Amino acid sequence: MGLMLGSCSDDSIQIEETAAPLAVNATASIQTPTNGHFNLDFSSAVREFELDLNLSSAVEPSECEDTPFNEVADYYNNLLIDGFISAWDGNPDAISIILEDYFAINQIAAAYENKNTDYFGADGEYTNYVKQRTKSLEKFWDMSNSITVNGQHTATLEDLDFIRYVYENYSDAPAEEIDYILGIAETFNIGSDQIPENPFFASDGFATFDRTIVIGDGIITLLEDTGLDPKVVWSSILAHEWGHQIQFLNVENWEYPLPAFNNTPESTRMTELEADFITGYYLTHKRGATYNWKRVEDFLSAFFNIGDCGFENPGHHGTPAQRLAAAKAGYDLANGAQKKEKFLVKKQYTWLFWLN
């Protein structure tokens, strides 16, 4: 069967292969990676942005439209495909290695191996800020030293020794095949201009039931490029993931209209919008981040941008309008609260927008 790789340039390459690898084209973002050589179990993680890397999903224009985030994601998608083609020697195996395995390797690095997880920002420029915001969240939610926050970076993929380590310890590939794979990785890393430049490889944001949060530099870059303040983006995503940690701790006690975390579009949308609400509440509260209106506008825009239109996808997080409404509801509640009021940890707030 044939596979056509397209890009925003005039080049296209036709290859023949017996099995169809990951399909990529210039008019849609990279599809959510399968795990390639890796059998990863992320059933204990709530991932934020997997759908945003699959913009080819069918949408309903009358109910849900693209946001500036989609345009930015398409831009970096095209850069990645152009960079892949420029370094490609025609080997079809390179497609699954670079466009599937690289994503899984970076997830392993951040979630399991603590590889380069102790700094935030490509050059560590947001490390102190994230640490300060983490302390604020710990104090606000009475969760001192209970959550681990890890960074994720495309630069991790420059380390070929680490890539070898991951294949040796997380895949069934024999030594000879791993040597072959490392040759492909080296060719791409040297010949393209995408490592460490392209944010797609570090666009993860997720929370796990073992009290870990992972935030990639890439998702910050994608949202910053829509015109948002990067510090507001860091705060919003971190507070949202913290909201999931609060859900994990209270899921047995809180009453939900649907079973939580059961991997259906309705269940995912419900818990995601609740986390958006919790985020708006914390960022605005007088004992939380105490955001003024200008920053409130930015974090509301952030949630609008990362809404999605994948209504039938198990990872559906809510439309842009729904995510905006959820965060705005949290803002409204906190904005009218007295400084001493803080009840979300002990009592679930009930709202109806998640069912609209």
Side-chain angles (χ1 to χ4, degrees), residues 108-128:
I108 290 169
Y112 301 140
E113 290 295 329
N114 291 320
K115 174 72 172 178
N116 298 331
T117 58
D118 60 346
Y119 69 96
F120 300 90
D123 299 308
E125 63 271 30
Y126 293 108
T127 300
N128 289 336

Side-chain angles (χ1 to χ4, degrees), residues 37-232:
H37 284 81
F38 307 104
N39 184 23
L40 300 182
D41 180 9
F42 272 91
S43 60
S44 62
V46 176
R47 298 184 60 195
E48 298 308 319
F49 305 105
E50 57 179 338
L51 187 61
D52 293 330
L53 304 182
N54 187 9
L55 303 181
S56 59
S57 299
V59 301
E60 301 178 30
S62 62
E63 297 182 17
C64 186
E65 298 179 356
D66 283 349
T67 70
F69 180 87
N70 302 133
E71 182 178 350
V72 171
D74 282 347
Y75 170 76
Y76 283 111
N77 173 80
N78 288 335
L79 284 183
L80 176 55
I81 301 310
D82 283 346
F84 177 82
I85 291 174
S86 70
W88 195 36
D89 59 5
N91 183 347
D93 292 337
I95 298 170
S96 63
I97 301 301
I98 305 304
L99 301 181
E100 292 184 7
D101 285 5
Y102 264 33
F103 288 92
I105 290 168
N106 228 10
Q107 289 167 357
I108 290 169
Y112 301 140
E113 290 295 329
N114 291 320
K115 174 72 172 178
N116 298 331
T117 58
D118 60 346
Y119 69 96
F120 300 90
D123 299 308
E125 63 271 30
Y126 293 108
T127 300
N128 289 336
Y129 182 79
V130 172
K131 288 182 177 180
Q132 291 169 3
R133 185 60 70 214
T134 299
K135 289 181 179 178
S136 171
L137 284 158
E138 288 178 336
K139 182 178 180 180
F140 186 75
W141 295 117
D142 298 324
M143 297 170 66
S144 180
N145 298 316
S146 62
I147 306 298
T148 299
V149 182
N150 288 345
Q152 183 193 54
H153 318 280
T154 300
T156 298
L157 297 170
E158 292 182 295
D159 189 340
L160 294 177
D161 289 337
F162 178 73
I163 291 177
R164 178 182 294 277
Y165 168 84
V166 172
Y167 279 104
E168 289 175 344
N169 290 274
Y170 290 88
S171 81
D172 295 326
E176 182 177 339
E177 183 181 358
I178 293 174
D179 288 340
Y180 170 70
I181 290 171
L182 265 290
I184 292 173
E186 184 174 17
T187 296
F188 176 76
N189 285 10
I190 293 175
S192 81
D193 57 357
Q194 299 303 298
I195 302 292
E197 288 80 6
N198 199 301
F200 256 82
F201 290 115
S203 57
D204 270 317
F206 58 86
T208 71
F209 279 87
D210 65 357
R211 301 191 179 188
T212 298
I213 290 171
V214 171
I215 303 177
D217 296 337
I219 191 61
I220 306 299
T221 297
L222 293 173
L223 285 166
E224 181 183 0
D225 284 1
T226 68
L228 299 178
D229 181 337
K231 288 186 176 180
V232 173

Side-chain angles (χ1 to χ4, degrees), residues 223-250:
L223 285 166
E224 181 183 0
D225 284 1
T226 68
L228 299 178
D229 181 337
K231 288 186 176 180
V232 173
V233 176
W234 277 108
S235 293
S236 299
I237 294 176
L238 180 56
H240 177 93
E241 300 306 331
W242 209 280
H244 285 312
Q245 297 294 343
I246 293 170
Q247 291 170 331
F248 299 159
L249 291 172
N250 291 278

